Amino acid sequence: MYILAIDQGTTSSRAILFDRDGNVAAVAQKEFRQIFPEPGWVEHDAEEIWSTQMGVVQEAIARAGLRASDIAAIGITNQRETTVVWDRKTGKPIHHAIVWQDRRTAGLCDQLRADGLADTFRQKTGLVLDAYFSGTKVKWLLDHVPGARERAERGELAFGTIDSWLVWNLTGGALHITDATNASRTLLYNIHTGEWDDELLRILEVPRALLPEVRPSSQLYGETATGLFGARIRVAGIAGDQQAALFGQACVKQGMAKNTYGTGCFMLLNTGAQAVPSSNQLLTTVAWKLPERVDYALEGSIFVAGAVVQWLRDGLGVIRNSGDVESLAASVPDNGGVYLVPAFVGLGAPYWDSYARGSILGLTRGSGQGHIARAALESIAYQTVDVLHAMQQDAGVQLSELRVDGGAAANNLLMQFQADVLGAPVVRPRITETTALGAAYLAGLAVGYWGSEAEIGAQWSVDRRFEPQMPGSRREALIAGWRKAVERSRRWEDA
């Protein structure tokens, strides 16, 4: 028997089959369209997400030579704040999904802050008031799609993040649910009471009839619809991608941290049973809800990480494949004084500046493609340093190591530079598919495929450990240059 992980990301749909030892048995992946209707707006076609996800699931099962009856359960992990509203009868979305990167509601967030509501949202949700989160996106859809608000109030529409959309389709519309990790990213969910919050719903004018039921992250929810896969498969785990990666990295004890290098970059620190408030503009979020407990985490969200490499490929055309960035960056000994701030959709933690924009600074006639590629890679590491410093101040801990995963974690040049500018070891596990693995673990625990968290933790093993080698004076000079570059990029749109 195997566990199927559905890993629905920002740029691609993936399906991965894991065996009992946590090894990958088969994987399939397909990219889908990124839609940019206006500057700062990012959308997805939710039906295309569903169709590509179904396609890769069937492809992965076929590659492994399995049948649906060989799969013990499905675990789902997803891009989190991306927002879909659909018709309950037809199952059709009323509009493209609004992606977490989308900035169209920045003005609304400004207005809510001006109305003195930032503390209300922070205290209840652990989040900052930012266009990143789902709540303002739902309000936008209800306000801008003709007739949507009235239909929502009549109970004809359903809202969900991508996990809810997938479960709805997997179960033929039988289940409209989410889990606590995804709910905690909506600006609508009180992380202390574990309930949708009436005051927040009123402020954002979101009818309760629109909302999914919030379930634990590890639970037998139901089964796939008849006829979908040839046999019905149990659906038993859901977690937002970053929380799933924390679980997949076996960071199940308080004080353990991981960083995922994906489209964005996300660092989470397990704070155990305590929801630690941040004084450094980090997020307090649900790490996971298990049947017997809720664990919390501090999170720093970096909007553009691996996406800067995609931009080098698709926007500038300086590389043909994303994997080519390492050799191009290694063609020069250092950044040559060049800094790239990838604030294409604003800056996330710890700045939360919706009006920052991307910039390349320090260019001279001697600057070339290698310097820009290196500056792009280094920007990922510098942003991580900013978040880790804030995290250590909030939690009052000094990290002994940072566990890493995600696509860019395979880049040795980046990982060594990350250890150098952090001044701390960076540890890459043998299995870097930790986001999907976390979803698989949550599903497997729910159906008894794995017996305990301890059994799961024992499977984690090291691939490579990167020790810091850079002199402290050099590290400080580089970070100072980065922070100067960030200041040049900030508040660009409202200047």
Side-chain angles (χ1 to χ4, degrees), residues 63-80:
R63 281 186 179 178
L66 302 176
R67 293 173 299 180
S69 55
D70 298 317
I71 297 169
I74 294 172
I76 296 169
T77 184
N78 57 288
Q79 51 165 320
R80 293 174 298 180

Side-chain angles (χ1 to χ4, degrees), residues 4 6 15 17 26 28 50-66 71 227-230:
L4 170 64
I6 287 178
L17 285 156
W50 167 241
S51 65
T52 55
Q53 197 64 70
M54 276 295 293
V56 293
V57 164
Q58 289 163 340
E59 185 181 339
I61 292 171
R63 281 186 179 178
L66 302 176
I71 297 169
L228 206 55
F229 298 116

Side-chain angles (χ1 to χ4, degrees), residues 339-343 347-353 356-359 361 379 382-383 386 479-492:
Y339 290 86
L340 191 161
V341 182
L347 286 170
Y351 304 103
W352 294 105
D353 184 348
R357 287 296 178 266
S359 58
L361 298 127
S379 74
Y382 290 131
Q383 290 179 97
D386 289 342
I479 291 172
W482 162 255
R483 294 201 169 135
K484 188 163 69 168
V486 168
E487 280 309 305
R488 298 288 198 278
S489 300
R490 295 195 64 189
R491 300 171 296 277
W492 182 262

